[in-house]
Amino acid sequence: MKGLFSNRLVIAALALPAIAIIVFAMIIPIGFSAYYSFTDWAGFGKYRMIGAENYVTILTQDPVFWRSLLNALILMLATVFLQNPVAFALAALLAHISERFSRSMRTIYFIPAALSLVVIAKLWVSIFNPTYGILNKVLGFIGLGELSTSWLSNPHTALGAVIWIIVWQGFGWALLFYYTGLMTVPDEIEEAARVDGAGWFATYTKIIIPYLFPVISAVIVIDVISSLKQMELIFLSTEGGPGQLTQFIAVYLYQKAFVAGQYGYGNALSVLFVVIAICLTIMVQRLLRQKGEE
Amino acid sequence: MSTAAIDTPADAAKKLGKGALYALLVLLAFLQIFPLIWVFDYSLQKSGDLFGPDILKLSFAPQWSNYSRAFFDGHIPRYFLNSVIVVSVSSVFSIVLSFCLAYAITRMQWKLKAVAVLCVTIGMVVPIHTTLLPNFIWFGYFKLIDTHLGLIIPYIAFTLSFNTLIYIGQIKTIPTSMEESAFIDGASWPRILAIIVAPMAAPATVTVGVMTFLNNWNEFIMANTYLATDDLRTLPFSIIKFQGQYSSDYAVQFACMFLVALPPLLLYFIFSKQIMAGAIAGAVKG
Amino acid sequence: MKKFVPFAAVMALAAAFSLAAQSAITLKMADNLPDRTTTWGAVVEKINAEFKAANPGVEIVTESYQDQPYQQKMKIYATAKQLPDVFKYWSFSTLLKPLVDGGFVLPLNMSDFSKYGYMPGSLESNVWGGKLYGIPVSADMWVVYYNKKLFKDAGIDKVPGTIEELKALAPKFKAKGIIPIVTDGKDAWPLSETFDQLAWRISGDSTLPQKALDRKIKFTEPVFVQAASELQNLTSDKTGLFQEDLMVSDYGASRNLFGQGKAAMYLMGSWELGLASDTNFSDEFRSNVEVFKFPLVKGGKGKIDDLFAWFGGNYVISASSKNKDLDVKYLQYYAQRFPALAWEAQACFPAQKVQPRANDTVLAKHLLQIAADAKATSGAACLDRSTAQFKDDNQNLMRDLCSGLVTPEDFCKKLDAAAEKAAKQQ
C-alpha cells in the first residue's frame, strides 16, 4: 500500500504539468524581475547595474513601502475577522432554508463578485461622492449630516472607505467558499449532534467548524494573499491617495515601474513583495496547522 | 379568536424570527443586486448622465442604441467567441492540472514535495504587472505573442496556485479508505482519480470552476499586453473601444460591461442546481 | 520554340503578380484614440481612408488604447524592438527623449514639413540634439472655460481678471448650489500646470522652472513658495472654489460636472473646444460655454497675454520601420489634412494654422483669438521637462499640497530635492 502512494511515474504525471506551467509563466519572469531589480533601468533603453541600492532605499528610505504593508495588514484583519464570519453565518443560514429561495439568493449575493472591478470602483466612487453620492444624502436624511465628508479623499476616512469596497466585493466569494464547504458536511454529523441535545451554537463551534477547518484554512490563506495583492480597486478609486494613505504594494510597484520610469525600483518592490508574501503565507499556514491539530 | 396559527409565545417568537431573517436576506439581496441594476440603468442613459446627481435615473427615452453600438462597434460577437475559447480551455486545464497537483501534494510521498509547494506558494503571490514585460520578451521567443495560446498559458498559470490550495483543503477531508479499497480491488490510477476521488472533491471543483472562469473572463491586463490583432481580442476589450482621448462614451461602456457580466451570471444560475446536486452527491459518498 | 512562348508568358505573369504582391504593404500604426467613431479617432480614420485611396496596395492597421495602457504597451514594444511604423506620442522629455536616446525614433527632415503652416515653436518642441523627431499635432493652451448662463444667474456680469476676483466669486455660486470651478485633481498634472502658470503670473518670467531644473536657481525661491501658497489656497476646502472631492475627481468626472451645468467654470486646456459641440450635453450648455484667459495675480509682474501653452501630442516614426518612405509620405499627408479636418470636427486645437469658418462656435472663435493675442508662450510645464521620476514626484507633491498635507515651504523643499535628484540622473 505504501508503495502505491510513492509511485514515481504517477507522481510525475500528476505534478509535472502544473509545476511546469507555473515555472514557465511565473517563476521565469520573476527571475527576470529579480535581475532588473539590481539595475536602474527605466523600462527601455540603457541601464546600469547598481547592486542592492534599490533594496536599501526601499527598506530604509521609503515610508510608502511600509505604509502599504500596514494597509494590507489592516485589510487582512478586516477580511478575516469581519467579512469571513458574516459570510460563514450567512452561508449557514442559506444552507437551511428552502432550496429554490436559497439558490436565487445565492446567485444574487454573488453578483458583485461576478462584475468587473471597473464597475465596482465606479459605483462606489459615485456613492462616496461628497455632493451627489447617496451615502451623504442618506446621512443627511436620517439626521447624521455632520458625518458627511468626501469619503475617498478625506485622510481620516479614505482607508476605511477603500477597505469597505474591497471587503464588500469579496463577500460573494467568501460566501461561495463557505456554502460549498457546508454542503460537504454529512447530514449524519448534524443529526448526531442534535440527538445529543446540542444547540445550534455548540453544533457549529464544536463540530462543524472543526470539520471544515481545512476549507477555512484555505480561505484564510487566500484572504491574506489577496489583501497583499490588491491592485485594481485601489488604482481605480484613490490611486493610493490622499498622501499615500491608501497605498498598496501592487499599485505602488505599478506606478514606480510603469509611470515613474523606475522600472528597476518597481521590480525590487515586486521581489520584496514576493518574499514577504511567501514568508507570511508559510507563517499563517503553520499557525493554522497548529490550531488544526488542537 | 383562532388559536390555530399560533400555539405558544415561543412559536410566535420563532415565526417573527423567521420573518425577520427572511427580511434580512432580502435586504442583503437588494444591496448586492444594486450594482447590476445601476450598470443596467446607466447603460440606457446618455453618457454624461453618469456624473449627475441621481443615483438611478428613470428616463423615458432609454437609449437602446447604446446596446446596438456596444454590440456592433464594440465587436462583441467576435470578442465573445474569443473569450469563450480562451477562458474555457484555460479553465478546464487549470481545474484538471490543479486537481492532479493537489492530489500529489496531499496523498503522495515524494522528496521534491516541498519544492512543489514552494512553487505553488510563489505562484500565488507573484503580481501580474511584474510579469508583463519579461513575459512579453520570453513568450516572444516561442512566438506566443499575439496568439490565443500565449494568453491561455498565463491564464492557467495564474489560477493554478489558488485552485491547488482549495483542492488540497478539500482532499484532506476525504478519508483514504475509498482509494485504498479501490486499489485492493485492482483499480488503476486514472480510474481511482476520476471515478472515486474527483466526485468526492466536487464541492471544491465548484468553487475552483467558478473562480477560474470568472477571473479569466474579466481579465484585462494580460489580454491587453499580449494581444495586438483585433480579431483575437477578448470581451473586456470591448469597453475600451468607447474611450476617446479626452472624453469617453460611458453609457455605451456600461452597456458593454453589462453584456460582459451576463454570461457568467447566467451560467452560475443555470448550473447551480446541477453543480450543487453534484456537490451534495459527492459529499454523501464520503 | 513552341514551348518557350507559353513558358515565358507564365513567367511574365508570375513576375507581374509578385510585383503587385510586393506593393501590398501594411502600415502599422498605434495611438491613444480607441473610439474611432467620434472626434479625433474619426478624423484619423478619415485621413487613413483618404490615404489608402490615394495609395492603392497600402493597408493600415491601428492599435489603440487609453493613455496609461497605451504608454505602457509602447514601452514594452520598444524594449522588444517591435514598435509600430507610425505612432502617436508625446513631445515631453519624460516620454519622447528616452525613446530618442534609445535610438527608437527616426529623425525627420524639417524641410519635408515646413510648408504645412506649423505654429512657431511647435516643430521645435520635437527637436533633440538638432534633429526633428516628430510632427506636433495639437497646440495646448491653459485656459478657463465658463458657463455664461450660470454666471448671469449668479448675478456676475464679468469674468474674473485676477485670482482674488476669482475667489470672491465662490460664495455667489455656492449660494445657487453650483460648484464655482472644477478640474481633474485625481491625475494631478492640471495642478502642476497651474503651479507653473501661477509662478509665471507672479514673476513675469516663464523660464524660472527650467532654470530650477537646470539647478541655476532653486525651487525654494520666494516666487515658487508664493505660487505653492496660492495653489494651496485656491484648492483648499475653506476657499470653496473647487469641487469637494477634487483629489479623487478624475478627468471624465470633472468634465462632466461642467458639461452638466453643475459647475460654473472648468480649468483645462484648449483641446476641450469640442465642449461646444458635444451632443452629450444640453443645447443650453453648448450655446453658453465660453472661455477666458487665466487670471492675473494681484501685484504680480505677469501680463494677461502671457499664454501658458505647449505642444504635447505628436506623431513619430519608428527607427526600425521597414517602409520609412511610406511612413514619411503618410506623415506629410496627415500634416496636410489634419488641421482642416480636426477643426471641422472640433476635435482638438491643431498645432498648425487653421482657417476660421463662419460657422465656428463662439468658443472656437474665442480660443483662436486667445492664441492670436498671445504675446509670449511658455512651452511645457516643468513636470514634463525632466525625468519620468521627477514627473511622478512632482505630481505626488501636488497631491499632497492640494490635500493640505504639506506646507508650501515644505512642498518647495521637497520639489527642489526631487529636481536635484533628477539633475544628477541626466
Side-chain angles (χ1 to χ4, degrees):
Chain A
M1 192 59 45
K2 253 286 178 73
L4 228 41
F5 285 122
S6 14
N7 182 331
R8 287 236 185 98
L9 210 63
V10 176
I11 293 173
L14 290 177
L16 267 182
I19 298 293
I21 292 190
I22 292 180
V23 169
F24 183 79
M26 296 178 86
I27 297 192
I28 290 188
I30 271 285
F32 274 99
S33 195
Y35 172 74
Y36 293 133
S37 70
F38 293 109
T39 70
D40 64 353
W41 202 29
F44 57 89
K46 301 198 245 335
Y47 62 83
R48 307 168 291 146
M49 302 296 288
I50 56 172
E53 198 180 301
N54 284 330
Y55 290 98
V56 171
T57 313
I58 294 173
L59 291 171
T60 60
Q61 293 171 24
D62 195 343
V64 182
F65 172 72
W66 296 106
R67 176 80 216 192
S68 318
L69 290 180
L70 178 67
N71 288 342
L73 185 66
I74 298 176
L75 176 61
M76 261 180 246
L77 295 173
T79 311
V80 171
F81 292 108
L82 289 176
Q83 183 209 66
N84 277 8
V86 174
F88 190 86
L90 197 64
L93 201 63
L94 286 171
H96 288 94
I97 60 177
S98 89
E99 166 58 20
R100 205 182 286 171
F101 188 60
S102 170
R103 181 173 142 204
S104 318
M105 286 295 110
R106 277 184 287 118
T107 309
I108 292 178
Y109 290 149
F110 195 68
I111 287 176
L115 287 173
S116 104
L117 294 173
V118 177
V119 175
I120 305 287
K122 275 194 167 10
L123 171 68
W124 281 101
V125 168
S126 154
I127 292 179
F128 284 134
N129 184 298
T131 329
Y132 303 122
I134 205 178
L135 181 59
N136 281 349
K137 282 208 172 135
V138 165
L139 284 176
F141 192 67
I142 61 176
L144 287 175
E146 325 90 60
L147 291 178
S148 292
T149 177
S150 177
W151 299 92
L152 288 169
S153 48
N154 181 332
H156 301 290
T157 58
L159 186 60
V162 158
I163 288 184
W164 167 259
I165 300 177
I166 299 172
V167 163
W168 177 84
Q169 197 264 341
F171 183 77
W173 290 113
L175 189 64
L176 175 68
F177 293 146
Y178 288 133
Y179 186 80
T180 46
L182 281 170
M183 283 289 106
T184 69
V185 177
D187 288 335
E188 304 92 58
I189 290 190
E190 278 186 77
E191 294 288 326
R194 203 168 304 156
V195 163
D196 282 349
W200 60 265
F201 188 73
T203 312
Y204 270 92
T205 50
K206 293 212 167 56
I207 301 181
I208 296 189
I209 291 181
Y211 183 88
L212 286 177
F213 199 71
V215 172
I216 296 177
S217 299
V219 176
I220 289 181
V221 173
I222 292 179
D223 284 340
V224 166
I225 296 179
S226 304
S227 301
L228 283 168
K229 266 173 105 169
Q230 278 301 324
M231 200 278 173
E232 282 82 6
L233 282 175
I234 292 117
F235 188 72
L236 294 167
S237 57
T238 60
E239 258 184 82
Q244 309 287 24
L245 285 174
T246 61
Q247 191 61 282
F248 277 77
I249 282 251
V251 184
Y252 189 47
L253 74 87
Y254 172 83
Q255 289 169 339
K256 282 291 172 192
F258 292 106
V259 181
Q262 295 175 263
Y263 194 75
Y265 192 84
N267 276 311
L269 282 168
S270 297
V271 172
L272 269 178
F273 171 78
V274 169
V275 169
I276 291 176
I278 293 178
C279 292
L280 202 61
T281 309
I282 295 179
M283 259 170 42
V284 171
Q285 281 176 323
R286 222 165 260 180
L287 204 76
L288 288 169
R289 208 173 306 151
Q290 276 180 345
K291 261 227 135 178
E293 276 149 25
E294 287 166 14
Chain B
M1 256 296 256
S2 163
T3 53
I6 303 171
D7 291 335
T8 65
D11 283 330
K14 216 178 181 181
K15 263 223 166 96
L16 198 66
K18 220 178 184 184
L21 229 48
Y22 273 94
L24 179 68
L25 286 178
V26 171
L27 177 67
L28 268 169
F30 173 73
L31 288 175
Q32 299 289 86
I33 202 176
F34 185 75
L36 199 62
I37 299 177
W38 185 74
V39 172
F40 186 66
D41 180 54
Y42 275 103
S43 70
L44 291 176
Q45 309 300 335
K46 282 165 78 178
S47 186
D49 292 337
L50 179 64
F51 301 96
D54 309 311
I55 194 70
L56 280 181
K57 206 172 155 124
L58 281 172
S59 149
F60 294 105
Q63 309 269 320
W64 293 106
S65 59
N66 289 337
Y67 277 92
S68 57
R69 272 199 78 200
F71 205 77
F72 295 113
D73 291 339
H75 294 192
I76 287 210
R78 177 88 228 182
Y79 295 166
F80 179 77
L81 193 66
N82 291 334
S83 276
V84 168
I85 296 173
V86 171
V87 176
S88 325
V89 172
S90 55
S91 298
V92 166
F93 272 95
S94 183
I95 293 173
V96 171
L97 291 182
S98 59
F99 173 74
C100 293
L101 180 60
Y103 189 84
I105 290 180
T106 320
R107 290 281 199 258
M108 312 298 251
Q109 333 264 35
W110 39 305
K111 272 181 267 169
L112 291 176
K113 195 193 286 200
V115 175
V117 171
L118 184 64
C119 282
V120 170
T121 314
I122 293 181
M124 274 195 283
V125 304
V126 169
I128 293 183
H129 286 103
T130 312
T131 64
L132 290 177
L133 178 56
N135 273 347
F136 193 85
I137 300 176
W138 171 239
F139 286 4
Y141 287 147
F142 298 91
K143 303 263 187 283
L144 288 172
I145 295 298
D146 207 19
T147 65
H148 277 168
L149 187 60
L151 202 56
I152 288 173
I153 292 178
Y155 276 13
I156 298 175
F158 276 88
T159 49
L160 269 176
S161 296
F162 280 116
N163 293 353
T164 307
L165 194 72
I166 293 178
Y167 269 127
I168 290 178
Q170 176 74 71
I171 294 177
K172 276 196 183 146
T173 67
I174 301 176
T176 55
S177 47
M178 303 282 291
E179 292 139 81
E180 283 165 0
S181 47
F183 279 131
I184 295 174
D185 286 348
S188 67
W189 267 112
R191 195 178 168 77
I192 295 177
L193 287 173
I195 303 204
I196 303 199
V197 186
M200 289 202 280
T205 305
V206 169
T207 316
V208 162
V210 175
M211 252 179 74
T212 310
F213 185 84
L214 262 177
N215 280 329
N216 291 339
W217 186 261
N218 284 326
E219 203 285 327
F220 176 69
I221 307 284
M222 290 196 272
N224 222 32
T225 310
Y226 300 143
L227 297 175
T229 313
D230 196 67
D231 276 347
L232 294 176
R233 292 204 192 272
T234 52
L235 213 44
F237 192 78
S238 62
I239 301 168
I240 296 296
K241 288 220 157 263
F242 302 102
Q243 289 173 339
Q245 174 157 18
Y246 298 118
S247 65
S248 306
D249 195 336
Y250 293 103
V252 185
Q253 282 182 46
F254 271 41
C256 287
M257 288 177 193
F258 187 75
L259 289 175
V260 175
L262 274 184
L265 283 174
L266 282 172
L267 281 175
Y268 188 77
F269 186 74
I270 293 173
F271 289 109
S272 63
K273 199 175 194 175
Q274 281 92 312
I275 292 172
M276 280 308 147
I280 296 170
V284 165
K285 256 193 179 170
Chain C
M1 194 57 179
K2 247 201 256 184
K3 286 194 190 143
F4 183 67
V5 172
F7 178 72
V10 169
M11 289 315 288
L13 223 58
F17 269 124
S18 69
L19 271 175
Q22 262 171 17
S23 63
I25 310 178
T26 304
L27 192 58
K28 275 193 170 164
M29 295 190 60
D31 58 37
N32 61 342
L33 311 161
D35 192 344
R36 311 304 272 189
T37 59
T38 60
T39 61
W40 200 329
V43 170
V44 179
E45 282 298 303
K46 219 174 181 180
I47 293 177
N48 290 356
E50 287 178 13
F51 187 75
K52 278 197 285 194
N55 295 276
V58 172
E59 250 320 305
I60 300 184
V61 171
T62 313
E63 239 185 292
S64 311
Y65 309 98
Q66 238 195 337
D67 270 24
Q68 273 307 337
Y70 178 68
Q71 285 178 30
Q72 190 182 341
K73 190 131 196 214
M74 285 304 114
K75 288 181 193 166
I76 288 182
Y77 272 148
T79 310
K81 301 196 181 15
Q82 287 175 33
L83 280 170
D85 298 315
V86 177
F87 57 102
K88 190 160 177 283
Y89 217 57
W90 290 265
S91 61
F92 307 130
S93 64
T94 51
L95 287 167
L96 186 54
K97 190 163 184 297
L99 278 187
V100 169
D101 286 345
F104 296 108
V105 184
L106 186 74
L108 304 168
N109 290 323
M110 196 73 103
S111 50
D112 284 342
F113 297 98
S114 50
K115 60 179 173 143
Y116 294 111
Y118 281 102
M119 287 161 65
S122 56
L123 283 170
E124 286 71 15
S125 62
N126 287 323
V127 170
W128 300 101
K131 297 209 188 96
L132 177 68
Y133 284 102
I135 56 164
V137 283
S138 56
D140 306 321
M141 313 185 294
W142 201 238
V143 294
V144 182
Y145 297 94
Y146 73 103
N147 187 323
K148 222 170 38 183
K149 179 164 192 304
L150 292 181
F151 265 60
K152 206 156 69 158
D153 290 348
I156 303 167
D157 54 3
K158 69 180 183 83
V159 296
T162 69
I163 296 288
E164 289 67 28
E165 284 170 30
L166 177 67
K167 286 192 265 192
L169 296 181
K172 297 204 177 135
F173 286 118
K174 298 289 268 292
K176 296 274 173 188
I178 300 280
I179 304 175
I181 187 169
V182 290
T183 195
D184 171 11
K186 183 161 190 262
D187 295 318
W189 58 263
L191 305 169
S192 289
E193 309 285 348
T194 311
F195 174 74
D196 277 41
Q197 164 100 80
L198 284 169
W200 192 8
R201 285 283 189 254
I202 294 169
S203 65
D205 182 354
S206 66
T207 66
L208 293 180
Q210 181 65 54
K211 287 206 179 97
L213 287 176
D214 293 336
R215 309 313 286 150
K216 298 203 182 106
I217 62 176
K218 288 193 175 200
F219 273 112
T220 46
E221 294 282 323
V223 56
F224 293 119
V225 178
Q226 190 183 347
S229 184
E230 284 289 357
L231 184 59
Q232 189 175 60
N233 188 260
L234 274 173
T235 54
S236 82
D237 283 340
K238 269 201 292 247
T239 315
L241 261 182
F242 283 87
Q243 70 265 48
E244 236 185 289
D245 61 340
L246 175 64
M247 300 318 291
V248 290
S249 205
D250 69 12
Y251 193 94
S254 50
R255 182 178 184 274
N256 273 280
L257 278 174
F258 181 62
Q260 298 286 322
K262 308 280 183 280
M265 295 176 275
Y266 180 39
L267 177 63
M268 202 31 79
S270 54
W271 54 82
E272 284 295 354
L273 84 166
L275 280 169
S277 39
D278 190 340
T279 49
N280 269 311
F281 303 136
S282 65
D283 279 332
E284 187 185 87
F285 169 79
R286 278 182 276 153
S287 54
N288 277 294
V289 61
E290 292 206 26
V291 63
F292 63 85
K293 300 171 185 167
F294 192 90
L296 295 169
V297 171
K298 203 158 76 166
K301 302 203 185 80
K303 304 197 181 44
I304 198 68
D305 284 321
D306 287 340
L307 183 62
F308 199 83
W310 64 93
F311 303 96
N314 57 17
Y315 267 89
V316 300
I317 297 179
S318 160
S320 52
S321 169
K322 296 202 177 51
N323 344 282
K324 298 191 174 75
D325 292 330
L326 183 67
D327 300 338
V328 175
K329 203 171 171 193
Y330 177 86
L331 278 190
Q332 286 177 308
Y333 191 76
Y334 191 97
Q336 189 188 339
R337 293 294 284 142
F338 185 70
L341 287 175
W343 192 251
E344 201 180 296
Q346 304 273 275
C348 83
F349 204 93
Q352 299 154 268
K353 290 210 169 54
V354 287
Q355 296 291 65
R357 305 167 306 157
N359 56 349
D360 276 344
T361 60
V362 175
L363 183 60
K365 289 200 178 98
H366 281 178
L367 280 169
L368 274 179
Q369 189 62 49
I370 292 181
D373 285 349
K375 303 247 175 18
T377 58
S378 57
C382 69
L383 91 161
D384 288 316
R385 287 175 182 254
S386 179
T387 62
Q389 188 167 344
F390 178 77
K391 181 169 181 167
D392 191 51
D393 291 334
N394 180 306
Q395 288 177 313
N396 284 331
L397 283 171
M398 291 294 158
R399 291 189 180 106
D400 289 348
L401 180 71
C402 298
S403 302
L405 291 168
V406 71
T407 65
E409 291 78 19
D410 254 347
F411 164 86
C412 286
K413 278 205 200 100
K414 291 191 176 147
L415 187 63
D416 196 67
E420 182 67 35
K421 201 161 58 158
K424 288 212 176 84
Q425 284 176 335
Q426 305 268 40

